Amino acid sequence: NKLKTKHTMTTLFVGNLKWECTDDELFSLFTGGSFIPTSAEVVMGRNGRSRGYGLVTFSDEATASAAQGAYNGQDFQGRNLIVHEDRGATKGSKTASTEVDPNFTGTSVFVNNLSWATTDDELKAYFNQFGSVSAKIALRKDGKSRGWGTVQFSDPEQAMQAVENMKGSDFGGRTIECLIDKKA
């Protein structure tokens, strides 16, 4: 958890990262310039893919400010970095990426890239071997599938096993994406 006051800037937004950039690579970028961060995290979207930016936190404002000056506009992995003070969640987003939903249980799995014809029962049956309790396909207002759904499990271990074993598997002729649903 980052603590920010009006006058202290210790976390930097680092934008224009390659999708493949890892937390360790981002951390190493700053340690290579002798600015030792306390943490570096590439922010991931709901689909489990990089959002193209990261947050790097330093122990004090002077180090963060110096790192910002040194790295803004610099080339990293073939791209020019955009580095500025982290302003927190922007107007369009509901919560900052590091905040956990108060209703989070770790028992819900988000499943993406489903066939339009997939039903709740078919999705539940596909995850039965991991103890699925229920499944719900997200529907548009006109009643057609949105191509994703959620599967509920009785405990977080079952949900994690399902994600680890089923992500990238073929279901209904499509390669599905699975991740723990941070919103439930």
Side-chain angles (χ1 to χ4, degrees):
N1 294 351
K2 63 181 178 190
L3 300 173
K4 279 176 50 172
T5 63
K6 242 182 185 173
H7 305 288
T8 304
M9 184 265 302
T10 59
T11 301
L12 296 178
F13 168 94
V14 182
N16 202 26
L17 297 175
K18 287 176 65 172
W19 303 121
E20 301 82 13
C21 183
T22 66
D23 294 349
D24 289 340
E25 289 170 334
L26 185 58
F27 189 89
S28 295
L29 167 70
F30 286 90
T31 57
S34 61
F35 301 103
I36 311 299
T38 55
S39 69
E41 174 190 10
V42 174
V43 177
M44 299 294 181
R46 245 190 112 133
N47 62 2
R49 293 185 183 142
S50 169
R51 298 205 41 210
Y53 72 92
L55 300 175
V56 181
T57 304
F58 297 89
S59 59
D60 61 77
E61 187 174 358
T63 305
S65 182
Q68 177 183 350
Y71 286 96
N72 188 39
Q74 291 299 310
D75 177 82
F76 177 61
Q77 298 180 336
R79 307 194 62 171
N80 291 334
L81 295 176
I82 299 166
V83 182
H84 58 72
E85 177 182 354
D86 177 39
R87 300 178 190 115
T90 56
K91 191 175 182 181
S93 64
K94 293 178 184 147
T95 58
S97 64
T98 55
E99 289 180 29
V100 176
D101 190 295
N103 299 320
F104 178 72
T105 62
T107 60
S108 181
V109 173
F110 172 79
V111 184
N112 198 14
N113 200 31
L114 295 172
S115 156
W116 304 123
T118 303
T119 66
D120 294 349
D121 290 339
E122 289 169 337
L123 185 58
K124 180 180 181 282
Y126 189 65
F127 283 86
N128 250 355
Q129 62 184 310
F130 302 101
S132 57
V133 174
S134 66
K136 186 77 180 144
I137 301 293
L139 301 176
R140 301 186 322 202
K141 288 180 182 173
D142 64 6
K144 293 182 180 172
S145 171
R146 293 182 63 192
W148 63 269
T150 55
V151 182
Q152 301 298 319
F153 296 88
S154 54
D155 65 61
E157 290 77 27
Q158 289 175 324
M160 187 54 76
Q161 263 194 323
V163 167
E164 290 170 359
N165 289 284
M166 302 304 262
K167 69 180 169 190
S169 67
D170 183 283
F171 178 52
R174 300 180 62 98
T175 303
I176 59 170
E177 299 171 20
C178 306
L179 56 126
I180 297 296
D181 186 357
K182 302 272 192 238
K183 304 285 184 196

